[in-house]
Amino acid sequence: MTSGNCIFCKIASGAVPALKVFESDDAVAFLDISPLAPGHTLLIPKSHYRDLIDVPEDVLARLTSHLPKLAGAVLRVTGATGLNLLQNTGESSGQAVFHVHFHLIPRVADDRLGFRWNAGAYSPGEDKAIQAALRAALAGA
Ligand code: AMP
Ligand code: ZN
């Protein structure tokens, strides 16, 4: 399944060039064109799914099975000492390309990438209410 105007579908099919580093029957990994750090890599399924909610479990399982070796290679080749795995779902998260993908972002100490969010705190009882709502939602899932 592909989507006509999707840049990542076009990369997967070869219609648009990309610096591919890995390819299997159902997945492609390539260098992000605007890297947060050298070696910043994107992993995508060849089939078009919009985001993490849209992608079927079996497709996601196969896709993520490639992550350990890919992460290892990115670390070895870049000499990075750490790596952030990032998945944006939804515009408010920063998702700009609506074909599900994982970012592998190499990290070194003091690289000033600043991948830290401003952590908040729950108001009294809010955490338990959310926990109960999530447990109920997931019990039927
Ligand atoms: P996101 O914000 O999670 O949707 O990330 C989309 C990523 O795709 C961004 O980091 C872009 O730099 C990257 N990107 C967009 N177009 C291309 C392209 N043609 N080749 C490689 N990376 C791309
Ligand atoms: Zn697509």
Side-chain angles (χ1 to χ4, degrees), residues 28-111:
V28 188
F30 52 95
L31 297 184
D32 194 297
I33 204 165
S34 303
L36 294 181
H40 179 168
T41 298
L42 301 174
L43 175 66
I44 67 169
K46 286 186 173 174
S47 302
H48 181 87
Y49 299 101
R50 178 182 169 83
D51 57 27
L52 193 59
I53 314 303
D54 191 37
V55 62
E57 283 181 11
D58 60 329
V59 174
L60 185 64
R62 280 200 302 278
L63 182 68
T64 55
S65 74
H66 301 301
L67 283 172
K69 66 175 178 298
L70 198 50
V74 169
L75 285 173
R76 280 195 306 279
V77 166
T78 61
T81 48
L83 178 146
N84 285 116
L85 182 64
L86 178 68
Q87 203 291 312
N88 295 326
T89 282
E91 207 170 336
S92 59
S93 75
Q95 186 176 7
V97 177
F98 289 84
H99 177 131
V100 68
H101 55 278
F102 287 93
H103 296 254
L104 293 95
I105 304 163
R107 301 298 307 271
V108 293
D110 302 322
D111 59 16

Side-chain angles (χ1 to χ4, degrees), residues 3 6 8-9 48 99:
S3 179
C6 173
F8 285 0
C9 282
H48 181 87
H99 177 131

